[in-house]
Amino acid sequence: MTIAKILIALALFVVILNLYFLSVIYSHEKEHDHYNNLKQVDVKRGNKVNLKILKKPFMRQKPRNLSAEINTTILATRKILSAVSNLKNVHRRFSMQTVNRLQSLENDFKVTVPVTSDLWDAAAKWVSERETIPDGNTQLLGSVLNALSSSKIIRAENTRKGTQLKILITLEGGQKALFKPQWYKREEIIAGPVYAGKDRHNGEIAAFHLSLLLGLRRVPLTVGRTVDLRREILSVAEHNLTKTFFQDGNNTCFYGVCYYCRPDDAVCANRDIMEGAVILWLPDQLQLKKHRHPWQRTYRADTLAKWELSSSYCSTVRKNALYSQGPRLLDIIDTAIFDFLIDNGDRHHYEVLSSFGHSVVLLLDNGKSFGNPHVDHIDILAPLYQCCRLRKSTWYQLWMLQGGKLGEWLDRLMRNSHLHPVLSAAHIAALDRRLGLVLAAVHVCIAENNSREDRVIIDD
Ligand SMILES: *[C@@H]1O[C@H](CO)[C@@H](O)[C@H](O)[C@H]1NC(C)=O
Ligand SMILES: *[C@@H]1O[C@H](CO)[C@@H](O)[C@H](O)[C@H]1NC(C)=O
Ligand SMILES: *[C@@H]1O[C@H](CO)[C@@H](O)[C@H](O)[C@H]1NC(C)=O
Ligand SMILES: CC(=O)N[C@H]1CO[C@H](CO)[C@@H](O)[C@@H]1O
Ligand SMILES: CC(=O)N[C@H]1CO[C@H](CO)[C@@H](O)[C@@H]1O
């Protein structure tokens, strides 16, 4: 009798437990999209604890298709590495033409006029369909950068949008800019997935300078700036931001208001002095349009993206009118090369200027860069090696900069920065190594197209 009762009770318990799990599974599947979004931003933050919390216990996990992975990312990596070791180590010297171009760029960084609000108008006029800074006629570049790093801050507020802590500042003359604080020391190495960690303020500065060196003039003007947090920011901050300031010993800290901003995740000044990057706000009348990046990562270790599974992914992308005509696909490939050089594997979306028909893909938000100088994430180059095409002007610029001096020149351009050295020696060295890999990837493509360079290098 009692045994039967216990058995019945047990059976009932199992049924109820099953129902409970079923309902849990159902609710999880329903929230799938929302869940993914959450997870995506969370992993970006590089916070291991949160990763665990968000791990889906009840969802079926897709098994990794290792053979497919070997056929795409690993196969491409193998080819590129073998090509780079076969390419003769030419150690070309820069041509006179390259040296002249670099010196003229260096000249552009000279401060020629004092700070006035006219400089903001000049910089606003620079932004066009294909560039944030025109090539030539930019004698005022150094002066605008100087204004950005020295103008009085008259207002500081939360940016509200976004997952990363940044402050929207207004400079004297009404110019808006973003302030991204320093989280890491120069020598710190960000371990983990390519998108791990918080923004690197020095990465933003280096990315801007590198974009000019590469002739990819699509990054907003960016400078290093040291602020007195109490005197320059807190004194002009709106209430929402002020509330997040506190004192930790002798140091002033704040945590701001953003998706992940929390008191226990604050950034602290050295007493009141804080280093950061100041990024010029693009003119307000130019509307930005955001697109999902076709080579977006899944931000999940257990799921591969389509581009990681199929080496013919590019032909899928090119079925979309956005990428089958106009400059967009070649812009994406330029972006991939730029991101590979700076080690940014976090460009899940990209922005264009919607006021223009053929807007360039802007290189905004380059903070997840220069994380680990000892690792080359070759899969960032997937748009290049899967589409096997690149713009002739980009190829030319890369070709002219080979020879082991790209890093040296970048460092030289950044010598004017308040924060010099902006990058550690290891990151500087990584740039030339990665440039070699980009050139090798292009060589692999040309070889696979029966040495038809014209099929890979696109005259546009
Ligand atoms: C793995 O990917 C390859 C190539 O895309 C495919 O042929 C194969 O069926 C896949 N295997 C599994 C188990 O999904
Ligand atoms: C300040 O924060 C509150 C609550 O989060 C929000 O509703 C309000 O819009 C914020 N104000 C400004 C100016 O950011
Ligand atoms: C704060 O500064 C004072 C004066 O320089 C020093 O004596 C004290 O040890 C500092 N406190 C901390 C927590 O660093
Ligand atoms: C086309 C191709 O390269 N296929 C290979 C994918 O990977 C598996 C496992 O390594 C090979 O068996 C296939 O030949
Ligand atoms: C015309 C041609 O041969 N195109 C090929 C160039 O190389 C890529 C990558 O191997 C191929 O996908 C193209 O078909």
Side-chain angles (χ1 to χ4, degrees):
M1 269 300 271
T2 40
I3 289 174
K5 263 188 194 162
I6 288 171
L7 278 177
I8 288 168
L10 213 65
L12 222 81
F13 177 70
V14 168
V15 166
I16 289 168
L17 203 69
N18 266 325
L19 279 173
Y20 168 74
F21 276 120
L22 270 174
S23 75
V24 168
I25 289 169
Y26 181 67
S27 68
H28 268 273
E29 304 235 313
K30 238 173 46 182
E31 284 169 21
H32 190 174
D33 272 353
H34 173 66
Y35 216 47
N36 264 349
N37 287 341
L38 260 184
K39 180 123 183 184
Q40 175 171 320
V41 262
D42 200 75
V43 178
K44 284 183 57 186
R45 219 172 142 234
N47 193 324
K48 284 192 192 104
V49 179
N50 277 300
L51 245 175
K52 268 185 205 145
I53 294 169
L54 279 174
K55 204 152 200 142
K56 283 179 246 178
F58 300 110
M59 290 264 307
R60 270 167 284 126
Q61 298 208 340
K62 288 192 191 110
R64 287 171 76 103
N65 188 336
L66 283 177
S67 79
E69 200 177 12
I70 283 166
N71 283 345
T72 53
T73 302
I74 296 180
L75 201 67
T77 303
R78 212 178 278 157
K79 280 189 208 163
I80 292 167
L81 288 176
S82 130
V84 86
S85 61
N86 288 340
L87 285 176
K88 282 196 208 82
N89 215 347
V90 246
H91 274 297
R92 274 164 35 103
R93 286 223 308 250
F94 281 172
S95 66
M96 234 13 245
Q97 196 189 352
T98 310
V99 172
N100 286 343
R101 194 176 71 80
L102 294 175
Q103 279 171 349
S104 125
L105 197 53
E106 203 174 21
N107 263 330
D108 286 346
F109 278 86
K110 296 219 165 83
V111 180
T112 52
V113 299
V115 176
T116 65
S117 56
D118 291 346
L119 288 171
W120 305 137
D121 298 333
K125 288 196 192 109
W126 286 342
V127 184
S128 67
E129 184 172 39
R130 304 286 307 161
E131 287 170 330
T132 53
I133 311 151
D135 195 357
N137 200 20
T138 39
Q139 300 91 330
L140 289 179
L141 178 64
S143 305
V144 176
L145 294 174
N146 177 47
L148 206 48
S149 64
S150 63
S151 287
K152 186 167 189 254
I153 300 168
I154 58 173
R155 187 177 160 82
E157 53 196 308
N158 281 303
T159 45
R160 294 177 201 98
K161 268 202 207 161
T163 56
Q164 300 268 325
L165 176 57
K166 47 188 183 272
I167 299 178
L168 178 63
I169 57 176
T170 308
L171 299 165
E172 203 158 48
Q175 178 63 51
K176 285 197 274 181
L178 285 177
F179 177 81
K180 291 199 175 183
Q182 170 175 23
W183 290 97
Y184 301 104
K185 297 218 158 35
R186 297 286 185 280
E187 309 291 335
E188 207 158 330
I189 288 173
I190 319 295
V194 63
Y195 43 78
K198 297 173 188 301
D199 276 340
R200 273 74 81 174
H201 74 302
N202 59 327
E204 292 276 7
I205 302 160
F208 166 67
H209 287 81
L210 182 67
S211 76
L212 294 181
L213 272 179
L214 296 174
L216 301 175
R217 298 169 161 262
R218 307 158 194 184
V219 181
L221 271 61
T222 306
V223 293
R225 178 163 180 163
T226 306
V227 296
D228 183 316
L229 210 48
R230 193 168 277 283
R231 223 168 36 81
E232 294 185 77
I233 303 271
L234 184 58
S235 66
V236 294
E238 64 164 30
H239 183 61
N240 277 10
L241 183 56
T242 312
K243 277 192 306 196
T244 76
F245 274 71
F246 63 94
Q247 205 64 27
D248 179 17
N250 289 330
N251 297 335
T252 304
C253 309
F254 74 100
Y255 55 90
V257 183
C258 68
Y259 194 86
Y260 286 114
C261 291
R262 289 193 322 257
D264 61 353
D265 205 9
V267 65
C268 293
N270 183 1
R271 292 178 177 266
D272 284 333
I273 303 304
M274 176 175 280
E275 209 180 281
V278 175
I279 305 164
L280 190 76
W281 195 262
L282 291 172
D284 270 328
Q285 71 272 17
L286 295 176
Q287 298 279 314
L288 293 182
K289 187 165 168 24
K290 198 175 201 161
H291 293 272
R292 180 188 172 278
H293 194 298
W295 276 266
Q296 186 180 70
R297 287 169 197 275
T298 62
Y299 294 89
R300 297 170 42 155
D302 59 2
T303 314
L304 295 171
K306 281 206 188 92
W307 62 268
E308 292 172 284
L309 290 166
S310 158
S311 56
S312 60
Y313 180 70
C314 185
S315 58
T316 313
V317 172
R318 294 184 68 192
K319 289 197 181 111
N320 183 331
L322 200 54
Y323 302 106
S324 63
Q325 56 203 23
R328 187 63 58 85
L329 184 63
L330 291 174
D331 283 358
I332 292 282
I333 292 165
D334 284 349
T335 304
I337 293 169
F338 180 73
D339 282 337
F340 174 67
L341 292 173
I342 66 173
D343 190 30
N344 174 14
D346 194 35
R347 205 173 293 282
H348 42 86
H349 289 84
Y350 66 84
E351 273 106 351
V352 298
L353 298 162
S354 57
S355 343
F356 302 112
H358 283 143
S359 167
V360 77
V361 168
L362 295 166
L363 300 170
L364 304 181
D365 215 349
N366 304 310
K368 292 291 190 74
S369 55
F370 299 102
N372 190 340
H374 307 300
V375 177
D376 300 322
H377 293 100
I378 291 183
D379 65 349
I380 301 174
L381 283 179
L384 172 64
Y385 62 67
Q386 292 187 342
C387 298
C388 265
R389 40 179 50 220
L390 89 158
R391 188 169 272 138
K392 193 176 215 165
S393 55
T394 306
W395 172 244
Y396 180 73
Q397 299 273 4
L398 297 173
W399 180 257
M400 297 301 277
L401 288 168
Q402 67 179 316
K405 287 211 171 3
L406 174 61
E408 196 180 303
W409 266 93
L410 179 64
D411 190 55
R412 189 163 156 179
L413 273 195
M414 298 193 296
R415 222 171 274 166
N416 299 310
S417 172
H418 293 282
L419 308 187
H420 190 265
V422 175
L423 291 178
S424 70
H427 282 299
I428 293 287
L431 277 165
D432 283 291
R433 186 183 68 231
R434 292 182 189 142
L435 176 60
L437 289 167
V438 176
L439 294 170
V442 178
H443 278 285
V444 169
C445 282
I446 294 172
E448 289 188 348
N449 281 260
N450 305 319
S451 301
R452 291 285 303 272
E453 210 175 291
D454 58 317
R455 288 189 178 156
V456 175
I457 317 284
I458 308 298
D459 211 347
D460 72 318

